[in-house]
């Protein structure tokens, strides 16, 4: 739609204009093309047109995002009888002392039996040691066996506890307790010890496939911060708690991302771009799924949410088109507001008196001028 430039001769030219002729209100106006559809009409019929005030255009408001709904189905139940409890453990110094005492007792029994060979007594020059004693009888043999067994048990059960680690003890498949102590300690050598890492850990996933609510293919990377809270469940309730957590992350991510679209191109609606809301929903879901195996999840945040390579180019063009449409809508809204404000001020202050035809002509001219000025300023 183009505007035709006209000139007049001042006030006298206005009085001599015909009713159907357009009168220029703004002097020195230039022709310009309006790239928007303006619902203006130049009706010259007999029916008068009642001037309608321009209604203010409400500003676009961002719709506040709401948290994603909690999972509908209950989490997997765990074994209520399998709970971490302290295991049987003694300080390592006590075991070392008992082992040394057992070895000393065995040496005393052998010494008292006078059965040490001369080669052993000659080296330290124990000339007072007499050979050819009565020998080792059944009583001495029993003491020797008992002493050796005690030494083996004492030294065989020694272990070292480290910071950030724990031992899960079991005897013939039965859970006997967990040990979180550090330093030298002693446990029953017959107990099977499984080491479990109880430090605060984080895991960054590889790009995993997913789909949004519209079925668009996505690639997502998730960062999970977690630790083992119950060592008994982590070691005995599941085959591998680390693998279990990784698979639950993938399953929870698929459930959460399928509830919202990745982008709302023409609407102000919650999307997957709200990383805080998505992270909160993912964390709640993982907490419920990982609790039965003794894992405590602190946070699960998506670090990357992007389109899959096969749809990335098409969705990028769609996003650019949506941004351009919003930009043009915002420019047109500001132009309409500016025109309304200008016309209202001119008429309310009595600066001009306009009939219906002149009012519409003024609105047209102001719209062309403001829109052209906005386009030139933004293009520069």
């Amino acid at each position: 739609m183009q505007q035709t430039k006209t000139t007049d001769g001042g006030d006298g030219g206005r009085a001599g204009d015909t009713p159907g002729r357009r009168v220029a209100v703004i002097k020195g106006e230039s022709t310009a093309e309006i790239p928007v559809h303006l619902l203006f009409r130049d009706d010259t019929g007999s029916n008068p047109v009642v001037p309608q005030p321009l209604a203010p255009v409400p500003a676009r408001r961002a719709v506040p995002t709401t948290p994603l709904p909690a999972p509908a189905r209950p989490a997997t139940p765990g074994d209520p009888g399998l709970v971490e409890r302290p295991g049987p453990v003694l300080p390592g110094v006590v075991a070392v002392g008992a082992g040394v005492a057992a070895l000393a007792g065995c040496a005393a029994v052998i010494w008292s039996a006078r059965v040490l060979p001369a080669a052993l007594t000659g080296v330290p020059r124990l000339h007072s040691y007499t050979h050819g004693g009565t020998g080792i009888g059944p009583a001495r043999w029993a003491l020797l066996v008992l002493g050796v067994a005690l030494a083996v048990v004492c030294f065989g059960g020694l272990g070292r506890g480290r910071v950030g680690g724990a031992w899960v003890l079991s005897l013939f498949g039965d859970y006997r307790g967990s040990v979180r102590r550090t330093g030298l300690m002693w446990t029953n050598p017959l107990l099977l010890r499984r080491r479990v890492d109880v430090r605060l850990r984080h895991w960054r996933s590889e790009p995993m496939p997913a789909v949004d609510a519209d079925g668009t293919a996505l690639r997502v990377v998730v960062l999970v911060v977690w630790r083992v809270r119950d060592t008994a469940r982590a070691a005995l309730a599941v085959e591998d708690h680390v693998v279990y957590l990784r698979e639950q992350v993938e399953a929870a991510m698929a459930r959460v991302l399928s509830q919202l679209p990745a982008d709302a191109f023409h609407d102000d609606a919650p999307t997957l771009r709200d990383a805080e809301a998505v992270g909160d929903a993912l964390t709640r879901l993982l907490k419920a799924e990982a609790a039965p195996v003794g894992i405590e999840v602190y946070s699960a945040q998506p670090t990357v949410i992007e389109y899959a390579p096969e749809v990335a180019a098409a969705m990028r063009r769609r996003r650019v088109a949506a941004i351009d449409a919003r930009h043009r809508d915002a420019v047109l809204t500001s132009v309409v507001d500016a025109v309304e404000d200008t016309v209202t001020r001119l008429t309310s202050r009595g600066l001009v008196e306009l009939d219906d035809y002149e009012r519409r002509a003024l609105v047209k001219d102001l719209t062309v001028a403001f829109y052209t000025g906005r386009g030139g300023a933004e293009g520069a």
Side-chain angles (χ1 to χ4, degrees):
M1 177 178 178
Q2 293 185 349
Q3 305 291 347
T4 305
K5 178 180 179 183
T6 59
T7 59
D8 60 4
D11 297 339
R14 177 179 176 181
D17 289 338
T18 60
R21 183 180 178 185
R22 179 183 181 280
V23 179
V25 181
I26 301 178
K27 303 298 183 179
E29 63 173 339
S30 59
T31 61
E33 182 177 357
I34 304 177
V36 294
H37 180 67
L38 301 177
L39 300 178
F40 297 133
R41 296 180 180 177
D42 291 335
D43 296 332
T44 57
S46 58
N47 295 330
V49 179
V50 180
Q52 299 292 337
L54 298 177
V57 179
R60 185 183 297 272
R61 296 183 303 172
V63 178
T65 59
T66 56
L68 294 175
R73 64 176 181 83
T76 305
D79 185 3
L82 186 61
V83 181
E84 179 181 338
R85 61 177 183 269
V89 63
L90 292 175
V93 177
V94 176
V96 171
V100 171
L103 293 179
C106 293
V109 169
I110 296 175
W111 181 277
S112 64
R114 308 293 181 178
V115 294
L116 289 177
L120 294 179
T121 58
V123 174
R125 297 180 181 180
L126 298 176
H127 301 291
S128 60
Y129 185 81
T130 58
H131 301 277
T134 58
I136 302 178
R140 288 190 174 93
W141 274 115
L143 293 176
L144 286 176
V145 171
L146 180 60
V148 171
L150 181 59
V152 170
V153 170
C154 291
F155 291 112
L158 291 177
R160 182 179 61 176
R162 298 179 181 179
V163 177
W167 287 346
V168 177
L169 308 179
S170 60
L171 180 62
F172 305 118
D174 186 18
Y175 175 63
R176 292 298 185 181
S178 300
V179 179
R180 290 178 177 261
R181 297 180 57 177
T182 59
L184 188 63
M185 66 186 68
W186 178 88
T187 58
N188 189 346
L190 299 178
L191 295 176
L192 177 62
R193 294 179 288 187
R194 296 184 182 181
R195 184 172 179 82
V196 179
D197 192 347
V198 295
R199 294 175 296 180
L200 187 66
R201 304 168 67 180
H202 69 279
W203 173 66
R204 181 185 177 91
S205 69
E206 298 294 332
M208 295 182 292
V211 293
D212 64 354
D214 297 332
T216 307
L218 304 174
R219 290 291 184 272
V220 185
V221 177
V222 182
L223 179 65
V224 183
V225 180
W226 62 282
R227 74 169 181 177
V228 174
R229 179 179 53 86
D230 193 313
T231 57
R233 293 186 176 183
L236 303 176
V238 68
E239 182 178 1
D240 190 337
H241 62 278
V242 178
V243 176
Y244 176 86
L245 177 63
R246 293 181 179 180
E247 294 178 351
Q248 287 297 331
V249 168
E250 186 173 358
M253 183 191 63
R255 292 176 57 187
V256 171
L257 297 186
S258 62
Q259 299 181 18
L260 291 177
D263 285 299
F265 296 101
H266 301 287
D267 299 323
D268 290 330
T271 64
L272 296 180
R273 300 301 174 186
D274 189 355
E276 183 176 358
V278 175
D280 291 343
L282 189 60
T283 302
R284 292 197 306 269
L285 188 57
L286 278 179
K287 277 180 176 291
E289 295 293 342
V293 297
I295 296 177
E296 184 175 6
V297 178
Y298 291 97
S299 68
Q301 296 292 332
T303 58
V304 176
I305 299 179
E306 60 185 6
Y307 291 107
E310 58 269 19
V311 299
M315 301 307 294
R316 190 180 300 110
R317 290 192 298 268
R318 186 177 177 185
R319 184 184 300 175
V320 171
I323 293 175
D324 183 65
R326 289 189 178 184
H327 172 70
R328 286 188 280 107
D329 183 45
V331 171
L332 181 59
T333 301
S334 63
V335 168
V336 172
D337 292 341
V339 170
E340 179 191 8
D341 183 67
T342 302
V343 175
T344 302
R345 289 187 179 186
L346 289 176
T347 55
S348 63
R349 296 181 182 182
L351 299 179
V352 293
E353 294 182 0
L354 304 174
D355 55 15
D356 299 340
Y357 181 83
E358 292 173 343
R359 183 185 181 90
R360 286 159 47 191
L362 177 62
V363 169
K364 288 183 180 180
D365 295 338
L366 290 176
T367 303
V368 172
F370 289 164
Y371 197 94
T372 304
R374 289 291 180 88
E378 294 175 359

